[in-house]
Amino acid sequence: MPRQDSTATLVEEVPEAPFYIPGTGSSTRPRCTLKHGDCFAVLDSHADIGATPGGPDGIFFCDTRYLSHLEMLLNGKQPLLLGSNVRDDNSILTVDLTNPDIYIDQKLVLSKDMLHVVRTLFLWRGTAYQRLRMQNHDDRPFDVRLSLAFASDFADLFEVRGLRRERRGTATAEICGETGVALNYSGRDSNRRRTMLLFDPAPERLSSSVASYAFELQPNEYRSIYVTVKCDRGVEESRPLPFRKGLRAAFRENKTASRGMATITSSNHIFNEVLCRSMADLAMLTTGTPQGPYPYAGIPWYSTTFGRDGIITALQMLWCDSRIAKGVLRRLAAYQAREFDPLADAEPGKILHEMRGGEMAALREVPFGLYYGSVDATPLFVMLAGLYAERTGDIETLRELWPNIEAALGWIDGPGDSDRDGFVEYHRANEKGLVNQGWKDSYDAIFHADGSLAQGPIALCEVQGYVYAAKRLAARGARRLGKHALGDALDAQAAKLAERFEAAFWCEDIGTYALALDGQKRPCRVRTSNAGQVLFSGIAAPERAEKVMRDLMRPSFFSGWGIRTVAREERRYNPMSYHNGSVWPHDNSLIAAGFARYGHKSAIDRVFKGLFEAASYMDLRRLPELYCGFQRGRERGPTLYPVACSPQAWAAGTPFLLLQSSLGLEFDPDRNEILLRKPRLPPFLEEVTLYNLRLGQSVVDLMLHRHGNNVSLQVLRNEGQIMVAAVYS
């Protein structure tokens, strides 16, 4: 009998989506992030880049890694870490380091903790600024030998994510005088990219990969070295500002961006920290665009314009900062598809899924330059436009967007419903595109009860709800513009859709809505969190909404840290998967908003409490994109998902939508009224104060105090005569 290869059964190719993000190991040092505009940095706890394995380290600009290595050595050794902190507003990373013990011939010649090194970093306008400040705390002179090794691979972000390329462009390096090095890349897309490193003062030695300093520090003497990394796109641009001027400019910009936004304080200091971090993350991720502010989806993988993520983040924040919604709507309207392009999954009226500015997108090695493979962004766009008009009374913006709204409705009733059965479906037109095109876009996220994957075209349950809500809101918007006949027609279409939806999607045998209908119109009889988002849209019949709520709050779904994406009994349940058993904060926030719509406030309390307590265990009190769905254990925190984006915009927006859902906050600009419908506070909050709550030109401050299941309301300030009322029936 021939000898068998003992490893043969161990090596088996695992099916995966083409844009799967691999997790190949843990990183030696924790990572932290900074961002400004289209530039972001992923650095380790020492503020190094690429010094230890693991993690997508680098300074990135427009979907390209402009610096892949930056490592500081002190007297030939890695320094010891004292502490590493990101400022509360995410603007600055400060790292405290010191020298290690140094031995020569097994004799200690220099004790540790004599030299204090502070690395201070921030980003501003495509440039990374760094100051190295060294002070000698020894009673003898300290001979400092400091080196900074640097390099750039100019990898496209999708290469960093794991895709391999057969051909790349050409990289060169040149020394520019005594203080600068230019790392250049000529891409196959005919674009030139350049990383310019500037050192001040001039290093003692400077090569194309290392800058070295050697000097003596007297007792208590200190000295600073400045390193500037400027990301250019092949054109000569102005020199970066000096460190201090750049820092002042960055502070001014951050302060200006936060003006006009509502703020929140509470009686719970940990919840205040969660809110502070969420607001800082949203401020960092929100990027100025020609159309207005836009929240980029997340770092490191999604730091760009995403349609679905931007819309949902704007929905979460609409009550406290409506400017985000306006920027999102105007940007997505500007890039709305106007023609058929199968390579981009584009069809007239469709709203963008994502856009990319890297070399691989330009060469169409990936389809994401301008990519429209999203089935839900289009109805969500119409929803956001309607909700924005109702929150602000901004008729002029509604009128400006109306052609885009009508085009989106045209897609919903046309290409979006290719078989004309009244439901919106997806089926990718490009084999390089996404297989699944709802928010659960993993290759294995849409399946039947036996675990078999659903074949398209696929109609997702929550998407039909989005279409229902979009038509209801568009109907009200049409009437605001005097289009009453159109409003009546849209309302009639929504009512008819609700009837068809109940008949096709409700599964009495599992007590909830089917995840989807496959290409043969067979229901995917799987219990998922998607049914909770059906409630968010308002399409569900009230008695069935209550059944969905009760199911989602059972241990099958509710882990103690939030609602899982898939019930534990389902065939593909895996608490460590991306979409089949994990907990997503934004998903929970939309489900909680659905509970509020149907009056189930006690369920909101449990969801809110679970996510708050999860955040209390997280680094920086930051809710990540997702975490694992393991059942909550005693005296231990939630289990992290290894490659989750953190920060992530719609995770950062989660506490704000949860608070709105608890308080039942509603706005009526026509009557100049703020309404709190059945207001309630979760058990961990005794008191909440809302400052600078705006309606038109008016502003109020409100204080709410919990009394058991009831809430008292006090108006602290009212400028403009806003009517504030609480309704408890």
Side-chain angles (χ1 to χ4, degrees), residues 7 10 22 26 44 58 73 177 238 248 387 455 498 519 567 573 592 596 629:
T7 65
L10 300 179
S26 60
D44 67 26
L73 295 180
S238 59
R248 285 196 294 268
L387 290 170
Q455 302 301 312
Y573 168 74

Side-chain angles (χ1 to χ4, degrees), residues 74-75 99-104 107-115 136 138 140-144:
L74 187 61
N75 290 17
N99 63 287
D101 286 322
I102 296 178
Y103 289 83
I104 297 178
K107 294 182 180 179
L108 180 65
V109 296
L110 180 63
S111 299
K112 65 179 182 299
D113 303 333
M114 294 300 170
L115 185 71
N136 179 13
D138 199 354
R140 299 173 297 169
F142 194 111
D143 288 321
V144 177

Side-chain angles (χ1 to χ4, degrees), residues 126-146:
T127 301
Y129 293 84
Q130 179 172 179
R131 179 181 64 197
L132 298 162
R133 187 180 186 276
M134 291 151 281
Q135 185 170 12
N136 179 13
H137 290 277
D138 199 354
D139 58 3
R140 299 173 297 169
F142 194 111
D143 288 321
V144 177
R145 291 183 291 110
L146 184 143

Side-chain angles (χ1 to χ4, degrees), residues 302-376:
Y302 309 121
S303 187
T304 186
T305 298
F306 271 76
R308 178 193 303 120
D309 296 63
I311 293 168
I312 289 177
T313 304
L315 285 168
Q316 293 171 319
M317 300 300 295
L318 185 57
W319 70 272
C320 55
D321 190 357
S322 61
R323 296 171 300 179
I324 296 174
K326 186 174 181 178
V328 167
L329 288 165
R330 296 186 76 235
R331 184 160 179 78
L332 294 178
Y335 287 97
Q336 187 175 31
R338 288 166 175 78
E339 58 187 23
F340 290 94
D341 180 359
L343 290 176
D345 266 321
E347 296 160 337
K350 207 172 181 184
I351 293 299
L352 186 75
H353 175 265
E354 69 178 284
M355 65 190 331
R356 295 287 184 174
E359 183 182 9
M360 294 178 71
L363 295 170
R364 287 207 159 181
E365 294 176 19
V366 295
F368 303 126
L370 287 175
Y371 181 62
Y372 294 84
S374 167
V375 71
D376 48 7

Side-chain angles (χ1 to χ4, degrees), residues 21-324:
I21 300 170
T24 55
S26 60
S27 52
T28 307
R29 297 175 181 171
R31 264 57 181 179
C32 59
T33 57
L34 296 171
K35 176 188 171 294
H36 182 271
D38 287 307
C39 183
F40 71 88
V42 180
L43 309 110
D44 67 26
S45 55
H46 286 55
D48 282 335
I49 294 171
T52 59
D57 291 14
I59 295 174
F60 296 80
F61 185 60
C62 296
D63 293 316
T64 299
R65 181 158 62 185
Y66 275 69
L67 200 68
S68 55
H69 187 215
L70 182 64
E71 181 180 4
M72 186 188 81
L73 295 180
L74 187 61
N75 290 17
K77 306 287 185 180
Q78 289 188 342
L80 299 177
L81 178 67
L82 299 174
S84 181
N85 296 283
V86 176
R87 185 178 152 107
D88 285 348
D89 63 1
N90 287 325
S91 61
I92 298 174
L93 170 66
T94 303
V95 177
D96 291 273
L97 304 161
T98 189
N99 63 287
D101 286 322
I102 296 178
Y103 289 83
I104 297 178
D105 295 331
Q106 299 182 343
K107 294 182 180 179
L108 180 65
V109 296
L110 180 63
S111 299
K112 65 179 182 299
D113 303 333
M114 294 300 170
L115 185 71
H116 182 208
V117 182
V118 182
R119 299 179 79 170
T120 305
L121 297 95
F122 69 94
L123 303 180
W124 190 65
R125 296 191 177 179
T127 301
Y129 293 84
Q130 179 172 179
R131 179 181 64 197
L132 298 162
R133 187 180 186 276
M134 291 151 281
Q135 185 170 12
N136 179 13
H137 290 277
D138 199 354
D139 58 3
R140 299 173 297 169
F142 194 111
D143 288 321
V144 177
R145 291 183 291 110
L146 184 143
S147 67
L148 290 159
F150 52 86
S152 178
D153 58 4
F154 289 99
D156 187 281
L157 185 69
F158 286 92
E159 289 182 271
V160 181
R161 282 173 52 163
L163 291 188
R164 296 180 181 177
R165 302 179 67 192
E166 294 182 2
R167 297 174 60 197
R168 301 188 81 254
T170 303
T172 59
E174 59 179 308
I175 299 173
C176 304
E178 297 180 347
T179 61
V181 175
L183 306 177
N184 303 301
Y185 180 74
S186 297
R188 294 184 56 242
D189 59 353
S190 300
N191 287 325
R192 296 178 60 85
R193 297 169 176 87
R194 182 180 68 172
T195 305
M196 189 71 197
L197 293 100
L198 299 171
F199 301 91
D200 180 21
E204 181 182 341
R205 294 181 181 177
L206 182 61
S207 72
S208 60
S209 60
V210 180
S212 301
Y213 291 86
F215 51 87
E216 183 180 81
L217 279 182
Q218 297 300 317
N220 293 319
E221 183 184 4
Y222 67 87
R223 185 175 299 190
S224 294
I225 295 171
Y226 298 90
V227 183
T228 306
V229 180
K230 185 169 177 53
C231 306
D232 291 340
R233 287 176 286 187
V235 295
E236 291 293 332
E237 300 183 16
S238 59
R239 282 182 70 87
L241 294 175
F243 182 90
R244 289 184 178 84
K245 286 187 176 180
L247 187 58
R248 285 196 294 268
F251 280 157
R252 282 196 302 269
E253 191 170 301
N254 286 344
K255 191 173 182 179
T256 301
S258 64
R259 286 177 186 160
M261 184 182 298
T263 57
I264 307 156
T265 61
S266 79
S267 54
N268 187 316
H269 74 277
I270 296 178
F271 184 63
N272 291 342
E273 292 175 7
V274 172
L275 289 174
C276 178
R277 179 58 56 191
S278 288
M279 192 65 81
D281 286 349
L282 286 164
M284 179 172 69
L285 291 168
T286 299
T287 303
T289 76
Q291 296 79 26
Y294 200 101
Y296 282 6
I299 298 173
W301 310 121
Y302 309 121
S303 187
T304 186
T305 298
F306 271 76
R308 178 193 303 120
D309 296 63
I311 293 168
I312 289 177
T313 304
L315 285 168
Q316 293 171 319
M317 300 300 295
L318 185 57
W319 70 272
C320 55
D321 190 357
S322 61
R323 296 171 300 179
I324 296 174

Side-chain angles (χ1 to χ4, degrees), residues 386-446:
L387 290 170
Y388 170 79
E390 296 193 349
R391 165 65 178 88
T392 63
D394 183 357
I395 301 301
E396 290 307 310
T397 298
L398 180 65
R399 185 174 288 110
E400 172 195 334
L401 293 169
W402 193 255
N404 305 98
I405 294 169
E406 289 192 323
L409 292 169
W411 177 84
I412 288 169
D413 293 332
D417 182 14
S418 56
D419 60 5
R420 299 297 187 268
D421 68 340
F423 298 129
V424 171
E425 304 101 355
Y426 65 86
H427 185 73
R428 63 178 177 178
N430 174 11
E431 288 304 309
K432 285 187 175 182
L434 296 173
V435 175
N436 287 316
Q437 298 188 353
W439 83 264
K440 293 180 179 178
D441 56 8
S442 300
Y443 81 97
D444 61 347
I446 312 302

